[in-house]
Amino acid sequence: MIEVALSAQVLIWLVVIGLFLATGQASLFHPAIVYLTFHGLVFVLRPILVHNFSFDSNWEYMRFKPTDENFIRTLMVTSVAMICFVTACTWKGWTRTVFLTKGFPTFSLMEQRALVVTTLLLLPLAAYSIYATRNGIKGERVNGIYILTQSTGYINEAQHFIMPILCAWMVVTRFHWLNLFPTLIYITYRAWFGWSRWTILLFMLMVTLTYCWYHGKKWIPAWSVIVAIPILILFNILGHNRDILKNVFLGEEVQVVRYDTTMTPEEKLKLQLDTQDYANFDYLSYVVSVVPERTGTYSFGAQYLQLFTEPIPRILWKGKPVGAPVKTISLGAYGNFVGLTVSLPGDGWISGGWVGVVLTLSLAGTLLGWAHRKFWTHSDHRMGCLLYFVALAMVPQWYRDGGISISKFLLFTVTPVIIWTILNWLLGQRFVPGHSIILQPGSKVRVIKPEQPLAVN
């Protein structure tokens, strides 16, 4: 039965892709494209590998093994989630997908100066964040949640300002080749740091979106796939050894994946790919299996109350609740779920089973569809487009994590664009209150334009 379910999973995914492409709405800038890619990787390809090659490292880590029934039900949950998301996103985001501006976007000298000021304001904060986390982030695990004990997330995460700042400078300088140097420095630092590998992939997605918009392209050029290959290789290497670059720089022994000469090709594949990378299907199987059969209830969306407590630093509120302030279920009570993510479909399932999946994914699709429509109807608004690209580049993290984590990532990635926009307004020409006239009811106002003066030779 699992083989049949896996075949159906592939077929449903391909049908949804075909129907979506048939709408004429598809482009690199559509959130549904990002979700379909995410779904294909973690909910179509991953379960095939798990079943056919006996990937079990995550089952052993969680101290859990799904039954065939739970395995199939997890596949069904992901398919329902995909259909709800793509349908809502396409419906709400339906628009005319045509770039309103012909030619390359340009930025005035005033706007360039505003970007310089923005960079000078935020770069010291990012530098201090890098310095503060140079030896790691000190904290402790409480009920499977890592909390900071001697710092605050506002300091630790400020280094993520660098991503949108680099992206903004690329646009302003017309993607000059000199941008390669700060980009390589940033990627090297992230690789050296080892953790938060997602910043490398999502930064490249952010740059790709901006590049395609700048050049008026709906899809990435074929040659750009070559650039993605070393990035994906680096991502995989860091997954096996987070400190590999530190080991190289310090001259220490580098731990790598070693293959035994007696291993079969299947065993080598398992050793290479049976990791926590793209393993959301494994985690979701656990979630679907324990909620509500073992928890006895759902969360009914209580996890989102954390939006009100999360902004307050723990160093200022010693008694701050760990996670959501109101807890109805604990996933860690039935296995080892430390450091794992539930995904957006899993978050919907935790909230209310099938109803929760439909509502959560439909609401998420509607929100992102609205943003997509706003982008195309204002594709000539440079600041608005950059804000959209920065946010859209972060949504894979939302699809993977579920819950409120996306709000924390967006805080540090959209802030530079917002500050740059405000400075553009402050430093540039703007309307200010002059004087007001009270008109009597029935008065008519005629708007006139001064006559153009004659040209004099």
Side-chain angles (χ1 to χ4, degrees):
M1 287 298 295
I2 289 182
E3 288 78 7
V4 175
L6 288 172
S7 299
Q9 183 82 341
V10 175
L11 180 60
I12 293 172
W13 179 57
L14 293 176
V15 168
V16 172
I17 290 176
L19 292 174
F20 176 65
L21 293 176
T23 64
Q25 294 291 298
S27 73
L28 180 66
F29 306 103
H30 205 297
I33 285 291
V34 182
Y35 190 89
L36 287 168
T37 304
F38 166 80
H39 178 89
L41 185 63
V42 303
F43 294 138
V44 176
L45 177 60
R46 176 69 188 189
I48 291 175
L49 294 174
V50 168
H51 178 68
N52 292 331
F53 296 94
S54 300
F55 283 11
D56 55 10
S57 66
N58 288 304
W59 305 140
E60 294 174 357
Y61 177 81
M62 292 185 288
R63 300 192 295 271
F64 156 82
K65 183 68 180 290
T67 63
D68 289 356
E69 180 184 355
N70 286 331
F71 193 102
I72 295 173
R73 182 166 57 174
T74 304
L75 293 175
M76 294 171 60
V77 168
T78 62
S79 289
V80 170
M82 175 190 61
I83 292 171
C84 290
F85 181 90
V86 174
T87 301
C89 194
T90 305
W91 166 73
K92 189 62 178 179
W94 198 284
T95 187
R96 185 168 176 260
T97 58
V98 176
F99 293 103
L100 299 180
T101 302
K102 302 299 181 182
F104 299 144
T106 58
F107 294 82
S108 66
L109 180 61
M110 180 276 300
E111 290 171 325
Q112 296 176 37
R113 289 173 176 171
L115 181 56
V116 171
V117 176
T118 302
T119 304
L120 293 176
L121 285 174
L122 297 181
L123 206 55
L125 298 176
Y128 181 75
S129 171
I130 293 173
Y131 173 79
T133 59
R134 67 193 184 283
N135 296 321
I137 302 172
K138 294 184 179 180
E140 60 182 1
R141 291 280 182 186
V142 178
N143 297 327
I145 300 175
Y146 192 82
I147 63 173
L148 303 177
T149 55
Q150 299 182 10
S151 183
T152 173
Y154 290 104
I155 294 176
N156 299 336
E157 305 298 327
Q159 55 193 275
H160 299 323
F161 288 147
I162 298 175
M163 290 192 292
I165 290 176
L166 282 175
C167 199
W169 277 110
M170 288 182 188
V171 177
V172 169
T173 58
R174 301 183 179 184
F175 286 89
H176 194 279
W177 65 268
L178 287 176
N179 286 294
L180 286 174
F181 292 103
T183 299
L184 289 175
I185 291 173
Y186 175 72
I187 293 177
T188 301
Y189 161 69
R190 296 311 305 174
W192 176 86
F193 186 74
W195 299 92
S196 297
R197 295 172 298 154
W198 61 270
T199 54
I200 299 175
L201 292 182
L202 300 190
F203 170 63
M204 296 309 299
L205 175 58
M206 187 186 303
V207 172
T208 301
L209 289 167
T210 308
Y211 176 87
C212 290
W213 164 75
Y214 181 82
H215 288 88
K217 299 178 181 296
K218 290 186 179 182
W219 299 100
I220 59 175
W223 59 261
S224 62
V225 177
I226 300 175
V227 179
I229 294 175
I231 296 296
L232 293 174
I233 293 175
L234 175 63
F235 185 86
N236 183 262
I237 291 174
L238 290 174
H240 290 281
N241 183 0
R242 306 279 183 160
D243 295 326
I244 188 169
L245 207 57
K246 292 180 183 178
N247 298 148
V248 173
F249 286 159
L250 298 176
E252 299 176 355
E253 182 182 357
V254 177
Q255 296 181 357
V256 296
V257 178
R258 299 186 182 278
Y259 300 109
D260 193 321
T261 56
T262 61
M263 284 184 172
T264 63
E266 291 77 11
E267 290 172 334
K268 292 180 180 179
L269 180 67
K270 181 178 179 181
L271 183 62
Q272 182 68 29
L273 299 181
D274 190 11
T275 65
Q276 291 187 348
D277 294 338
Y278 319 113
N280 274 109
F281 173 80
D282 309 42
Y283 313 151
L284 182 58
S285 297
Y286 174 88
V287 172
V288 172
S289 297
V290 302
V291 181
E293 280 78 3
R294 302 190 65 181
T295 60
T297 185
Y298 297 104
S299 70
F300 302 106
Q303 65 269 32
Y304 289 97
L305 294 176
Q306 190 176 351
L307 283 169
F308 301 99
T309 58
E310 192 68 14
I312 305 173
R314 191 172 299 277
I315 58 176
L316 299 180
W317 182 10
K318 300 299 182 183
K320 177 180 173 179
V322 178
V326 178
K327 290 196 173 186
T328 56
I329 61 176
S330 175
L331 293 177
Y334 313 98
N336 181 21
F337 207 73
V338 175
L340 308 183
T341 58
V342 298
S343 76
L344 192 58
D347 193 65
W349 183 267
I350 290 172
S351 296
W354 291 107
V355 174
V357 170
V358 172
L359 290 179
T360 300
L361 273 296
S362 296
L363 288 174
T366 299
L367 175 62
L368 293 176
W370 171 84
H372 171 262
R373 180 159 51 85
K374 287 295 182 181
F375 158 68
W376 280 111
T377 54
H378 299 87
S379 63
D380 57 340
H381 191 287
R382 296 155 303 157
M383 295 296 107
C385 289
L386 288 175
L387 196 64
Y388 178 71
F389 303 147
V390 169
L392 184 59
M394 295 297 110
V395 297
Q397 197 75 6
W398 189 22
Y399 301 158
R400 190 200 75 163
D401 290 359
I404 69 154
S405 65
I406 184 64
S407 62
K408 293 185 284 187
F409 300 133
L410 287 177
L411 173 64
F412 294 97
T413 52
V414 304
T415 295
V417 181
I418 293 175
I419 292 177
W420 186 20
T421 303
I422 294 173
L423 288 175
N424 285 339
W425 181 80
L426 291 174
L427 298 177
Q429 295 181 348
R430 59 191 183 278
F431 291 107
V432 295
H435 97 208
S436 58
I437 299 176
I438 299 177
L439 299 177
Q440 298 297 324
S443 300
K444 294 183 178 180
V445 177
R446 175 181 292 178
V447 179
I448 60 175
K449 182 173 65 173
E451 183 179 1
Q452 297 293 331
L454 297 175
V456 178
N457 295 325

